[in-house]
Amino acid sequence: MSDGRHLILDLYDCEPASLDDYDKLEEWLEAALLMANATILRIIGEKFQPQGVTLLALLAESHASIHTWPEIGYAAIDLYTCGDTTNTQKAADFLIYKLKAGKVEQKDLQRLTSLPPDES
Amino acid sequence: MSDGRHLILDLYDCEPASLDDYDKLEEWLEAALLMANATILRIIGEKFQPQGVTLLALLAESHASIHTWPEIGYAAIDLYTCGDTTNTQKAADFLIYKLKAGKVEQKDLQRLTSLPPDES
């Protein structure tokens, strides 16, 4: 069986300047996903006013997202990958490191994505 | 305080034909989000071969996603909205209804998105 893994990260006490830097966040998200061996099909995003960034990555293995609130040093990150070929935790660790998160809350959800054994 | 609400839906025993119909899924996602009073900035997606669809909606209030596996009648849906103006459950209920899900597992996560009271 090959299940989906969905990491839900709430990062607190991050560096505010980084959380408002669209280009840097996109570069880090891309690097994190490549490190995790994910296949990026497209990344889109939005820089909000007066602050905050959203990035969404469409992956062959599902998706990843980052939403930031620089004013409170907070980032909400989702890393959802399916299959046996990705190492989602690697992407999480890289983003936690880059954002210099002071406090991390991580949930790790298993989501069904498998064919039943007799159909695979 | 205005928190983020993240609904995580695993839908089983859905109608397989709908799960592989990109245009229909996009239409339903858009309708669901408008019903929920969300502000859609962009929707992107991918039709996979031999089957399966991914849709990602970039919202002013965060994001929504649908991933489908028609071959097992399964859809993984995320509806993540911030602020007090959206009714995320409405979007969930509409998609469950449209996909004719036979079994629904829903998780309801609260995620911090608020300014601390003394800064708001």
Side-chain angles (χ1 to χ4, degrees), chain A residues 34-104:
Chain A
L34 294 176
M35 257 173 235
N37 203 31
T39 309
I40 302 168
L41 300 180
R42 226 171 326 160
I43 296 180
I44 62 168
E46 186 80 13
K47 172 81 182 74
F48 293 97
Q49 295 303 329
Q51 66 238 323
V53 172
T54 283
L55 288 167
L56 299 180
L58 173 57
L59 308 176
E61 301 86 3
S62 291
H63 76 267
S65 64
I66 299 181
H67 304 283
T68 72
W69 285 262
E71 66 275 31
I72 53 169
Y74 169 73
I77 297 179
D78 284 57
L79 300 164
Y80 177 17
T81 56
C82 300
D84 300 327
T85 56
T86 47
N87 184 338
T88 317
Q89 189 63 52
K90 257 195 190 174
D93 293 343
F94 180 73
L95 290 170
I96 291 165
Y97 169 73
K98 281 300 196 181
L99 292 171
K100 298 186 170 48
K103 188 184 160 204
V104 177

Coordinates of all heavy atoms in Angstrom, one line a residue, chain A residues 34-104:
Chain A
L34 N 12.0 19.9 -3.8 CA 13.0 19.1 -4.5 C 13.8 18.2 -3.6 O 14.0 17.0 -3.9 CB 13.9 20.1 -5.3 CG 13.2 20.9 -6.4 CD1 14.1 21.8 -7.1 CD2 12.5 19.9 -7.5
M35 N 14.1 18.7 -2.5 CA 14.8 17.9 -1.4 C 14.0 16.7 -1.0 O 14.5 15.6 -0.7 CB 15.0 18.7 -0.2 CG 16.4 19.3 0.0 SD 16.4 20.4 1.4 CE 17.1 21.8 0.6
A36 N 12.7 16.9 -1.0 CA 11.8 15.8 -0.6 C 11.5 14.9 -1.7 O 10.7 13.9 -1.6 CB 10.5 16.4 -0.1
N37 N 12.1 15.2 -2.9 CA 11.9 14.3 -4.1 C 10.5 14.4 -4.7 O 10.0 13.5 -5.3 CB 12.2 12.9 -3.7 CG 12.6 12.1 -5.0 OD1 13.2 12.7 -5.9 ND2 12.3 10.8 -5.0
A38 N 9.8 15.6 -4.5 CA 8.5 15.8 -5.0 C 8.7 16.4 -6.5 O 9.7 17.0 -6.8 CB 7.7 16.8 -4.2
T39 N 7.6 16.2 -7.3 CA 7.6 16.7 -8.6 C 6.7 17.9 -8.7 O 5.5 17.8 -8.6 CB 7.1 15.6 -9.6 OG1 7.8 14.3 -9.3 CG2 7.2 15.9 -11.0
I40 N 7.3 19.0 -8.9 CA 6.6 20.3 -8.9 C 6.0 20.5 -10.3 O 6.8 20.6 -11.3 CB 7.5 21.5 -8.5 CG1 8.1 21.3 -7.1 CG2 6.7 22.8 -8.6 CD1 9.2 22.2 -6.8
L41 N 4.7 20.7 -10.4 CA 4.1 21.0 -11.7 C 3.9 22.5 -11.9 O 4.1 23.0 -13.0 CB 2.8 20.2 -11.9 CG 2.8 18.7 -11.8 CD1 1.5 18.1 -11.9 CD2 3.8 18.1 -12.8
R42 N 3.6 23.1 -10.8 CA 3.4 24.6 -10.9 C 3.4 25.2 -9.5 O 2.9 24.5 -8.5 CB 2.0 24.9 -11.5 CG 2.1 26.0 -12.6 CD 0.9 26.2 -13.4 NE 0.1 25.0 -13.7 CZ -1.2 24.9 -14.0 NH1 -1.8 26.1 -14.1 NH2 -1.8 23.8 -14.3
I43 N 3.9 26.4 -9.3 CA 3.7 27.1 -8.1 C 3.0 28.5 -8.4 O 3.5 29.2 -9.3 CB 5.1 27.4 -7.4 CG1 5.8 26.1 -7.0 CG2 4.9 28.3 -6.2 CD1 7.1 26.2 -6.3
I44 N 2.0 28.8 -7.6 CA 1.4 30.1 -7.8 C 1.4 30.7 -6.4 O 1.6 30.1 -5.4 CB -0.1 30.0 -8.3 CG1 -1.0 29.2 -7.4 CG2 -0.1 29.5 -9.7 CD1 -2.5 29.4 -7.8
G45 N 1.1 32.0 -6.4 CA 1.1 32.7 -5.1 C 0.5 34.1 -5.1 O 0.2 34.6 -6.2
E46 N 0.5 34.7 -4.0 CA 0.0 36.1 -3.9 C 0.7 36.8 -2.7 O 0.9 36.2 -1.7 CB -1.5 36.0 -3.5 CG -2.3 37.3 -3.5 CD -2.6 37.8 -4.9 OE1 -2.5 37.1 -5.9 OE2 -3.0 39.0 -5.0
K47 N 1.1 38.0 -3.0 CA 1.6 38.9 -1.9 C 0.5 39.8 -1.5 O 0.0 40.6 -2.3 CB 2.8 39.7 -2.5 CG 3.4 40.7 -1.6 CD 4.3 40.2 -0.6 CE 4.9 41.2 0.3 NZ 3.8 41.7 1.3
F48 N 0.1 39.7 -0.2 CA -1.0 40.5 0.3 C -0.5 41.8 0.8 O 0.7 42.0 1.2 CB -1.7 39.7 1.3 CG -2.4 38.5 0.8 CD1 -1.9 37.2 0.9 CD2 -3.7 38.6 0.2 CE1 -2.5 36.1 0.4 CE2 -4.3 37.5 -0.3 CZ -3.7 36.2 -0.3
Q49 N -1.4 42.8 0.8 CA -1.1 44.1 1.4 C -1.9 44.2 2.7 O -3.1 43.9 2.7 CB -1.5 45.2 0.4 CG -0.6 45.2 -0.8 CD 0.9 45.3 -0.5 OE1 1.3 45.9 0.5 NE2 1.7 44.7 -1.3
P50 N -1.4 44.8 3.8 CA -0.1 45.3 3.9 C 1.0 44.3 4.0 O 2.2 44.6 3.9 CB -0.2 46.2 5.1 CG -1.2 45.6 6.0 CD -2.2 45.0 5.0
Q51 N 0.7 43.1 4.3 CA 1.7 42.1 4.5 C 1.1 40.7 4.4 O -0.1 40.5 4.4 CB 2.4 42.2 5.9 CG 1.5 41.9 7.1 CD 1.4 43.0 8.0 OE1 2.3 43.7 8.3 NE2 0.2 43.2 8.6
G52 N 2.0 39.7 4.2 CA 1.6 38.3 4.1 C 1.7 37.7 2.7 O 1.6 38.5 1.7
V53 N 2.0 36.5 2.7 CA 2.2 35.8 1.4 C 1.5 34.4 1.5 O 1.4 33.8 2.5 CB 3.8 35.5 1.2 CG1 4.0 34.6 0.0 CG2 4.5 36.8 1.1
T54 N 0.9 34.1 0.3 CA 0.4 32.7 0.1 C 1.1 32.1 -1.0 O 1.3 32.7 -2.1 CB -1.1 32.7 -0.1 OG1 -1.8 32.9 1.1 CG2 -1.6 31.4 -0.7
L55 N 1.6 30.9 -0.9 CA 2.1 30.1 -2.0 C 1.5 28.7 -2.1 O 1.3 28.1 -1.0 CB 3.7 29.9 -1.8 CG 4.5 31.1 -2.0 CD1 5.9 30.8 -1.5 CD2 4.6 31.5 -3.5
L56 N 1.1 28.3 -3.3 CA 0.5 27.0 -3.5 C 1.3 26.2 -4.5 O 1.6 26.8 -5.6 CB -0.9 27.1 -4.0 CG -1.9 27.8 -3.1 CD1 -3.3 27.7 -3.8 CD2 -2.0 27.1 -1.7
A57 N 1.8 25.0 -4.2 CA 2.5 24.2 -5.2 C 1.7 23.0 -5.6 O 1.2 22.2 -4.7 CB 3.8 23.8 -4.5
L58 N 1.4 22.9 -6.9 CA 0.7 21.8 -7.4 C 1.8 20.7 -7.7 O 2.7 20.9 -8.5 CB 0.0 22.2 -8.7 CG -0.7 21.2 -9.6 CD1 -1.7 20.4 -8.8 CD2 -1.3 21.9 -10.8
L59 N 1.7 19.6 -7.1 CA 2.6 18.5 -7.2 C 2.0 17.3 -7.9 O 0.8 17.1 -7.9 CB 3.1 18.0 -5.8 CG 3.6 19.1 -4.8 CD1 3.9 18.5 -3.5 CD2 4.8 19.8 -5.4
A60 N 2.9 16.5 -8.6 CA 2.4 15.2 -9.1 C 1.9 14.4 -8.0 O 1.1 13.5 -8.1 CB 3.5 14.6 -9.9
E61 N 2.5 14.6 -6.8 CA 2.1 13.8 -5.6 C 1.1 14.5 -4.6 O 1.0 14.0 -3.5 CB 3.4 13.5 -4.8 CG 4.5 12.8 -5.5 CD 5.4 13.7 -6.3 OE1 5.2 15.0 -6.2 OE2 6.3 13.3 -7.0
S62 N 0.5 15.5 -5.0 CA -0.6 16.2 -4.3 C -0.3 17.7 -4.2 O -0.2 18.4 -5.3 CB -1.0 15.6 -3.0 OG -1.6 14.4 -3.1
H63 N -0.1 18.3 -3.0 CA 0.2 19.7 -3.0 C 0.9 20.2 -1.8 O 1.1 19.4 -0.8 CB -1.1 20.5 -3.1 CG -1.9 20.6 -1.8 ND1 -2.9 19.7 -1.5 CD2 -1.9 21.4 -0.8 CE1 -3.5 20.0 -0.4 NE2 -2.8 21.0 0.1
A64 N 1.4 21.4 -1.8 CA 2.0 22.0 -0.7 C 1.6 23.5 -0.6 O 1.3 24.1 -1.6 CB 3.6 22.0 -0.8
S65 N 1.5 24.0 0.6 CA 1.1 25.4 0.7 C 1.8 26.1 1.9 O 2.2 25.4 2.8 CB -0.5 25.5 1.0 OG -0.8 24.9 2.2
I66 N 2.0 27.4 1.7 CA 2.5 28.2 2.8 C 1.6 29.5 2.9 O 1.3 30.1 1.8 CB 4.0 28.7 2.5 CG1 4.9 27.5 2.4 CG2 4.4 29.7 3.6 CD1 6.4 27.9 2.1
H67 N 1.2 29.8 4.1 CA 0.5 31.1 4.3 C 1.3 31.8 5.5 O 1.5 31.1 6.5 CB -0.9 30.9 4.7 CG -1.8 30.1 3.8 ND1 -2.2 30.6 2.6 CD2 -2.2 28.8 3.8 CE1 -2.9 29.7 1.9 NE2 -2.9 28.6 2.6
T68 N 1.6 33.0 5.3 CA 2.3 33.7 6.3 C 1.6 35.0 6.9 O 0.9 35.7 6.1 CB 3.7 34.2 5.8 OG1 3.6 35.3 4.9 CG2 4.5 33.0 5.2
W69 N 1.8 35.2 8.1 CA 1.4 36.4 8.8 C 2.6 37.0 9.5 O 2.8 36.8 10.7 CB 0.3 36.1 9.9 CG -1.0 35.8 9.3 CD1 -2.1 36.6 9.2 CD2 -1.5 34.5 8.7 NE1 -3.2 36.0 8.6 CE2 -2.8 34.7 8.3 CE3 -0.9 33.2 8.5 CZ2 -3.6 33.7 7.7 CZ3 -1.6 32.2 7.9 CH2 -2.9 32.5 7.5
P70 N 3.4 37.8 8.8 CA 4.6 38.4 9.3 C 4.4 39.2 10.6 O 5.2 39.2 11.5 CB 5.1 39.3 8.2 CG 4.4 38.8 7.0 CD 3.1 38.3 7.4
E71 N 3.2 39.8 10.7 CA 2.9 40.7 11.9 C 2.9 40.0 13.2 O 3.0 40.6 14.2 CB 1.6 41.5 11.6 CG 0.3 40.7 11.6 CD 0.0 40.1 10.2 OE1 0.9 39.8 9.4 OE2 -1.2 39.9 10.0
I72 N 2.7 38.6 13.1 CA 2.7 37.9 14.3 C 3.8 36.7 14.3 O 3.8 35.8 15.1 CB 1.3 37.3 14.7 CG1 0.7 36.5 13.5 CG2 0.4 38.4 15.1 CD1 -0.5 35.7 13.9
G73 N 4.6 36.8 13.2 CA 5.7 35.8 13.1 C 5.2 34.3 12.9 O 5.9 33.4 13.3
Y74 N 4.0 34.2 12.3 CA 3.4 32.9 12.1 C 3.3 32.5 10.7 O 3.0 33.3 9.8 CB 2.0 33.0 12.7 CG 1.1 31.9 12.5 CD1 1.2 30.6 13.1 CD2 0.0 31.9 11.5 CE1 0.4 29.6 12.9 CE2 -0.8 30.9 11.3 CZ -0.6 29.7 12.0 OH -1.5 28.6 11.7
A75 N 3.5 31.2 10.5 CA 3.3 30.6 9.2 C 2.6 29.3 9.3 O 2.8 28.5 10.2 CB 4.7 30.3 8.5
A76 N 1.6 29.1 8.4 CA 0.8 27.8 8.3 C 1.3 27.1 7.1 O 1.1 27.6 6.0 CB -0.7 28.1 8.3
I77 N 1.8 25.9 7.3 CA 2.4 25.2 6.1 C 1.7 23.8 6.0 O 1.5 23.1 7.0 CB 3.9 25.0 6.3 CG1 4.6 26.4 6.3 CG2 4.5 24.1 5.2 CD1 6.1 26.4 6.5
D78 N 1.4 23.4 4.8 CA 0.9 22.0 4.5 C 1.8 21.4 3.5 O 2.1 22.0 2.5 CB -0.6 22.1 4.0 CG -1.6 22.4 5.0 OD1 -1.5 23.4 5.7 OD2 -2.5 21.6 5.2
L79 N 2.1 20.1 3.8 CA 2.9 19.4 2.9 C 2.2 18.0 2.7 O 2.2 17.2 3.6 CB 4.3 19.2 3.4 CG 5.1 20.5 3.6 CD1 6.3 20.2 4.5 CD2 5.5 21.1 2.3
Y80 N 1.6 17.8 1.6 CA 0.7 16.6 1.4 C 1.3 15.9 0.2 O 1.2 16.4 -0.9 CB -0.7 17.1 1.2 CG -1.7 16.0 0.9 CD1 -1.4 14.6 1.1 CD2 -3.0 16.3 0.4 CE1 -2.4 13.7 0.9 CE2 -3.9 15.3 0.1 CZ -3.6 14.0 0.4 OH -4.5 13.0 0.1
T81 N 1.8 14.7 0.4 CA 2.4 13.9 -0.7 C 1.9 12.5 -0.7 O 1.6 12.0 0.4 CB 3.9 13.9 -0.6 OG1 4.3 13.4 0.6 CG2 4.5 15.3 -0.8
C82 N 1.8 11.9 -1.8 CA 1.3 10.6 -2.0 C 2.4 9.7 -2.6 O 3.2 10.2 -3.4 CB 0.0 10.5 -2.8 SG -1.3 11.5 -2.2
G83 N 2.3 8.5 -2.3 CA 3.3 7.6 -2.9 C 4.5 7.3 -2.0 O 4.6 7.9 -0.9
D84 N 5.4 6.5 -2.5 CA 6.5 6.0 -1.6 C 7.8 6.7 -1.9 O 8.8 6.5 -1.3 CB 6.7 4.5 -1.9 CG 5.5 3.7 -1.5 OD1 4.8 4.1 -0.6 OD2 5.3 2.7 -2.2
T85 N 7.7 7.7 -2.9 CA 9.0 8.2 -3.4 C 9.4 9.5 -2.7 O 10.5 10.0 -3.0 CB 8.9 8.4 -4.9 OG1 7.8 9.3 -5.2 CG2 8.7 7.1 -5.6
T86 N 8.5 10.1 -2.0 CA 8.8 11.4 -1.4 C 9.2 11.3 0.1 O 8.7 10.4 0.8 CB 7.7 12.4 -1.5 OG1 6.5 11.8 -1.1 CG2 7.5 12.9 -3.0
N87 N 10.0 12.2 0.6 CA 10.3 12.3 2.0 C 9.9 13.7 2.5 O 10.6 14.6 2.5 CB 11.8 12.1 2.2 CG 12.2 12.1 3.6 OD1 11.5 12.6 4.5 ND2 13.4 11.5 3.9
T88 N 8.6 13.7 2.9 CA 7.9 15.0 3.2 C 8.6 15.6 4.4 O 8.6 16.9 4.5 CB 6.4 14.7 3.4 OG1 6.0 13.8 2.4 CG2 5.6 16.0 3.4
Q89 N 9.0 14.8 5.3 CA 9.6 15.4 6.5 C 10.9 16.3 6.2 O 11.1 17.3 6.9 CB 10.0 14.3 7.5 CG 10.4 14.8 8.9 CD 9.3 15.6 9.6 OE1 8.2 15.1 9.7 NE2 9.6 16.8 10.1
K90 N 11.6 15.9 5.2 CA 12.8 16.6 4.8 C 12.4 18.1 4.4 O 13.0 19.0 4.7 CB 13.4 16.0 3.5 CG 14.6 15.2 3.9 CD 15.4 14.9 2.6 CE 16.5 13.9 2.9 NZ 17.2 13.4 1.7
A91 N 11.3 18.2 3.6 CA 10.8 19.5 3.2 C 10.4 20.3 4.5 O 10.7 21.5 4.6 CB 9.6 19.4 2.3
A92 N 9.7 19.7 5.4 CA 9.3 20.3 6.6 C 10.5 20.9 7.4 O 10.5 22.0 7.8 CB 8.5 19.4 7.5
D93 N 11.5 20.0 7.6 CA 12.7 20.4 8.4 C 13.4 21.6 7.7 O 13.9 22.5 8.4 CB 13.6 19.2 8.5 CG 13.0 18.1 9.3 OD1 12.0 18.3 10.1 OD2 13.5 16.9 9.3
F94 N 13.5 21.5 6.4 CA 14.2 22.6 5.7 C 13.4 24.0 5.9 O 14.1 25.0 6.2 CB 14.3 22.3 4.2 CG 15.0 23.3 3.4 CD1 16.4 23.5 3.5 CD2 14.3 24.2 2.5 CE1 17.0 24.5 2.8 CE2 14.9 25.1 1.8 CZ 16.3 25.3 1.9
L95 N 12.1 23.9 5.8 CA 11.3 25.2 5.9 C 11.4 25.7 7.4 O 11.5 26.9 7.6 CB 9.9 25.0 5.5 CG 9.8 24.8 4.0 CD1 8.3 24.3 3.6 CD2 10.1 26.0 3.2
I96 N 11.3 24.8 8.3 CA 11.4 25.2 9.8 C 12.8 25.9 10.0 O 12.8 26.9 10.7 CB 11.3 23.9 10.7 CG1 9.8 23.4 10.6 CG2 11.7 24.2 12.1 CD1 9.7 22.0 11.2
Y97 N 13.8 25.3 9.4 CA 15.1 25.8 9.6 C 15.3 27.2 8.9 O 15.8 28.2 9.5 CB 16.2 24.8 9.0 CG 17.5 25.4 8.8 CD1 18.4 25.6 9.9 CD2 18.0 25.7 7.6 CE1 19.7 26.1 9.8 CE2 19.3 26.2 7.4 CZ 20.1 26.4 8.5 OH 21.4 26.9 8.4
K98 N 14.8 27.3 7.7 CA 14.9 28.6 7.0 C 14.1 29.7 7.6 O 14.5 30.9 7.6 CB 14.5 28.4 5.5 CG 15.5 27.7 4.6 CD 16.8 28.5 4.6 CE 17.7 28.1 3.5 NZ 19.0 28.9 3.6
L99 N 12.9 29.4 8.1 CA 12.1 30.4 8.7 C 12.5 30.7 10.1 O 11.9 31.6 10.7 CB 10.6 30.0 8.6 CG 10.0 29.9 7.2 CD1 8.7 29.2 7.2 CD2 10.0 31.3 6.6
K100 N 13.5 30.0 10.6 CA 14.0 30.2 12.0 C 12.8 30.2 13.0 O 12.7 31.1 13.9 CB 14.7 31.6 12.1 CG 16.0 31.6 11.2 CD 16.7 32.9 11.5 CE 18.1 33.0 10.8 NZ 18.2 32.6 9.4
A101 N 12.0 29.2 12.9 CA 10.8 29.1 13.7 C 11.2 28.8 15.2 O 12.0 27.9 15.4 CB 9.9 27.9 13.2
G102 N 10.7 29.6 16.1 CA 11.0 29.4 17.5 C 10.2 28.3 18.1 O 10.6 27.7 19.1
K103 N 9.0 28.1 17.6 CA 8.1 27.0 18.1 C 7.4 26.4 16.9 O 6.9 27.0 16.0 CB 7.1 27.7 19.0 CG 6.2 26.7 19.8 CD 5.1 27.4 20.6 CE 4.0 26.5 21.0 NZ 2.8 27.2 21.3
V104 N 7.3 25.1 17.0 CA 6.7 24.3 15.9 C 5.7 23.3 16.4 O 5.9 22.6 17.4 CB 7.8 23.4 15.2 CG1 7.2 22.6 14.1 CG2 8.9 24.3 14.6

